[in-house]
């Protein structure tokens, strides 16, 4: 199985920046896609950013132009650079890994890290 360890969350003022990291266990055979999701109280979990094994990236409309996802394959780690933060970005941010084998998708989630943006 894939274990994901997240870090980098915290409290920041509006307009500030944070960088989240997600380290995956190195015992896996492969990871086909990675993603960042967030969930605010009383709201559904929403897509923030995804990145395929080939390097293709997609971003949610609410973060387009402000957030950037990247990866370091040697470290089995993905990052989320968050700039120009707004109070509406306050949420628990989750990292997800998708492992595809024999036509089946297996999804793994991190524990989440709290991001709070003050006005």
């Amino acid at each position: 199985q894939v274990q994901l360890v997240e870090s980098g969350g915290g409290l920041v003022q509006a307009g500030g920046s944070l960088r989240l990291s997600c380290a995956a266990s190195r015992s896996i055979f492969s990871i086909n896609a990675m993603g960042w999701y967030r969930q605010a109280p009383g709201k559904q979990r929403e897509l923030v950013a995804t990145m395929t094994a080939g390097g293709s990236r997609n971003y949610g409309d609410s973060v387009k132009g402000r957030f950037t996802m990247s990866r370091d394959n040697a470290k089995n780690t993905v990052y989320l650079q968050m700039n120009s933060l707004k109070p509406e970005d306050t949420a628990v941010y989750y990292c997800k890994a998708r492992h595809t084998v024999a036509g089946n998708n297996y999804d793994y989630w991190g524990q989440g890290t709290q991001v709070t943006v003050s006005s």
Side-chain angles (χ1 to χ4, degrees):
Q1 296 190 157
V2 179
Q3 294 184 356
L4 304 173
V5 180
E6 302 173 355
S7 61
L11 175 64
V12 65
Q13 293 182 344
S17 298
L18 284 174
R19 192 189 195 195
L20 307 182
S21 64
C22 173
S25 61
R26 290 177 287 175
S27 62
I28 63 171
F29 179 75
S30 66
I31 299 177
N32 299 99
M34 300 290 294
W36 287 97
Y37 297 77
R38 68 186 183 186
Q39 187 168 24
K43 298 180 64 178
Q44 293 185 330
R45 188 171 298 184
E46 66 173 342
L47 170 70
V48 176
T50 60
M51 190 173 195
T52 67
S56 179
R57 294 171 235 184
N58 290 289
Y59 297 93
D61 290 339
S62 62
V63 306
K64 181 72 174 180
R66 299 187 297 120
F67 292 6
T68 303
M69 186 175 180
S70 61
R71 70 186 180 194
D72 186 332
N73 289 332
K75 297 180 179 179
N76 295 109
T77 300
V78 296
Y79 305 92
L80 184 68
Q81 179 66 46
M82 310 164 66
N83 298 327
S84 301
L85 284 163
K86 306 174 181 179
E88 307 91 86
D89 296 318
T90 296
V92 177
Y93 284 70
Y94 298 90
C95 179
K96 186 185 81 173
R98 170 163 286 185
H99 182 205
T100 302
V101 59
N104 298 314
N105 293 326
Y106 300 87
D107 293 342
Y108 303 89
W109 293 86
Q111 80 285 355
T113 183
Q114 177 71 47
V115 173
T116 302
V117 184
S118 61
S119 300

